[in-house]
Amino acid sequence: MTLFAARLSRLSLHAALLAASVLIGTAQIRADENDAVETEYLDYHRGIYAAVMCEGAGLEQKGVGDPNAQQLTAAHEKLAQAISASIGDEISAGRRLELIEQAKTEIRDLKKQKGCDDPEIKRVLDIYHTELEPALAQ
């Protein structure tokens, strides 16, 4: 290998390593952003479910023949619009369903273990009351 070829090979290797580190850094930033968006989405749904569980917010259908089904649908559409306005469409529909179920399970378990006066429940209720509940009045 000539001296020129050896230098070119080292430069190519250096450039490849630099490009790889930039890609890894970008991927990490994107993963951190996705985690932040999912955490925000979880908090919104934790707040909604905490309002249902601890304050009787009336956002759950009582059965197939619930006479309030149409009003509940309208309320959920308003909440969904408020959430989408905040987080956009960065989470797939399937992942959203998983996160909603996770939020319900977490709040149900937390209420059972520590009650509605738990600081975490109060925190997500505050999110619900300040960021989501106003959308229901529109």
Side-chain angles (χ1 to χ4, degrees):
M1 184 181 289
T2 67
L3 182 59
F4 177 74
R7 284 187 180 165
L8 185 60
S9 179
R10 277 190 293 240
L11 284 174
S12 295
L13 177 61
H14 181 68
L17 289 173
L18 182 61
S21 67
V22 167
L23 287 174
I24 290 170
T26 302
Q28 183 60 45
I29 289 169
R30 202 163 255 260
D32 291 345
E33 288 173 356
N34 286 344
D35 288 347
V37 170
E38 285 191 2
T39 298
E40 184 178 3
Y41 190 80
L42 271 169
D43 278 347
Y44 286 141
H45 284 280
R46 287 173 181 138
I48 292 167
Y49 202 61
V52 169
M53 296 280 301
C54 295
E55 298 178 344
L59 294 170
E60 285 199 318
Q61 195 168 329
K62 303 294 182 208
V64 177
D66 189 337
N68 297 320
Q70 192 172 21
Q71 292 167 333
L72 290 171
T73 299
H76 281 275
E77 287 174 3
K78 289 178 181 182
L79 292 171
Q81 288 172 352
I83 292 169
S84 287
S86 179
I87 67 159
D89 296 325
E90 295 185 39
I91 304 172
S92 71
R95 183 69 180 137
R96 286 176 187 238
L97 290 174
E98 290 172 1
L99 294 171
I100 291 167
E101 289 305 315
Q102 179 182 338
K104 285 181 175 184
T105 299
E106 289 174 2
I107 294 301
R108 188 180 313 117
D109 292 348
L110 193 56
K111 180 185 180 231
K112 185 177 180 180
Q113 293 170 4
K114 298 185 178 181
C116 289
D117 290 331
D118 181 74
E120 177 62 12
I121 288 182
K122 288 182 181 248
R123 182 185 73 80
V124 296
L125 280 170
D126 186 53
I127 291 169
Y128 170 77
H129 290 300
T130 58
E131 297 182 36
L132 296 177
E133 192 174 37
L136 294 174
Q138 297 177 355

